[in-house]
Amino acid sequence: MTQTAYIGLGSNLGDREQTLMDAVKHIHQLEGVAVAYCSSLYETDPVGNVNQPAFLNMVIRVKTSLDPDVLLQQMLAVELQLGRVREVHWGPRTIDLDLLRVDDKIINTELLTLPHPFMRERAFVLVPLLECCSTEDETFRIQIEQDLLGLPDREGVARWKTCNWQDGFAPSES
């Protein structure tokens, strides 16, 4: 069974754009996963530990036959391949991949919570998520729009560049 999943990507160390594009490529090459849409890249202020460089963030929509926990494990493996080191909570990182939503699944285990528990509180997630939200899911789109209205940090999210990753699927147009 194919499901629609949304994955948030962020980077604030090294060549941020290239790292994000490499992550999209790695995710697209996973068995049972196909990237369907990429948001633009957004430069965003750090959250939590604010004494660090600005992030580039984006969201991708994928079609997957993987169970959410398997997809998460594959995403963690991609992070390791791209040099992710977990030293400081909410600290600088080469890549951060967050599984935001898989269809309407609600999961709450030790390793995975869906939908992502902080997604609705973060403009750096909601702005690109709204951009790549499937038009088939109008209820989800309306929820994102409403959540964004209540967030004071929307101004800290600035479109940086349209995604132009073109290996294997059509990029987003904006």
Side-chain angles (χ1 to χ4, degrees):
M1 176 176 88
T2 302
Q3 308 167 92
T4 299
Y6 294 91
I7 300 171
L9 298 86
S11 175
N12 74 336
L13 293 178
D15 186 339
R16 302 172 303 165
E17 179 183 4
Q18 186 61 52
T19 302
L20 291 176
M21 296 303 99
D22 288 347
V24 173
K25 183 176 181 179
H26 282 288
I27 291 167
H28 187 65
Q29 292 173 343
L30 293 173
E31 189 169 332
V33 179
V35 175
Y37 195 89
C38 294
S39 75
S40 298
L41 282 70
Y42 292 84
E43 191 163 53
T44 64
D45 298 332
V47 172
N49 179 3
V50 294
N51 190 18
Q52 59 182 314
F55 277 84
L56 282 185
N57 289 98
M58 67 185 299
V59 171
I60 60 175
R61 183 176 72 231
V62 303
K63 295 291 186 180
T64 182
S65 59
L66 300 179
D67 287 333
D69 57 332
V70 174
L71 178 58
L72 177 64
Q73 292 305 315
Q74 294 292 323
M75 290 166 49
L76 293 172
V78 169
E79 284 184 343
L80 286 175
Q81 290 173 348
L82 295 175
R84 171 75 189 260
V85 177
R86 295 177 186 272
E87 293 177 337
V88 178
H89 185 62
W90 288 346
R93 60 207 85 159
T94 55
I95 189 69
D96 185 32
L97 301 176
D98 288 320
L99 187 54
L100 303 173
R101 183 176 196 254
V102 178
D103 286 340
D104 288 327
K105 292 188 183 313
I106 297 174
I107 298 174
N108 195 1
T109 67
E110 199 172 306
L111 299 175
L112 178 61
T113 302
L114 287 178
H116 190 284
F118 303 115
M119 153 177 101
R120 297 178 67 189
E121 303 167 7
R122 296 176 173 166
F124 70 84
V125 173
L126 293 178
V127 171
L129 181 59
L130 181 61
E131 182 182 334
C132 79
C133 183
S134 172
T135 56
E136 299 166 7
D137 195 347
E138 190 62 24
T139 302
F140 185 46
R141 175 178 287 286
I142 291 169
Q143 178 185 23
I144 295 168
E145 290 171 345
Q146 290 173 344
D147 289 343
L148 268 170
L149 289 175
L151 293 180
D153 63 339
R154 289 190 340 224
E155 290 74 31
V157 179
R159 178 177 274 168
W160 191 73
K161 188 175 191 179
T162 300
C163 179
N164 65 357
W165 187 77
Q166 301 178 18
D167 188 12
F169 65 97
S172 64
E173 296 295 327
S174 48

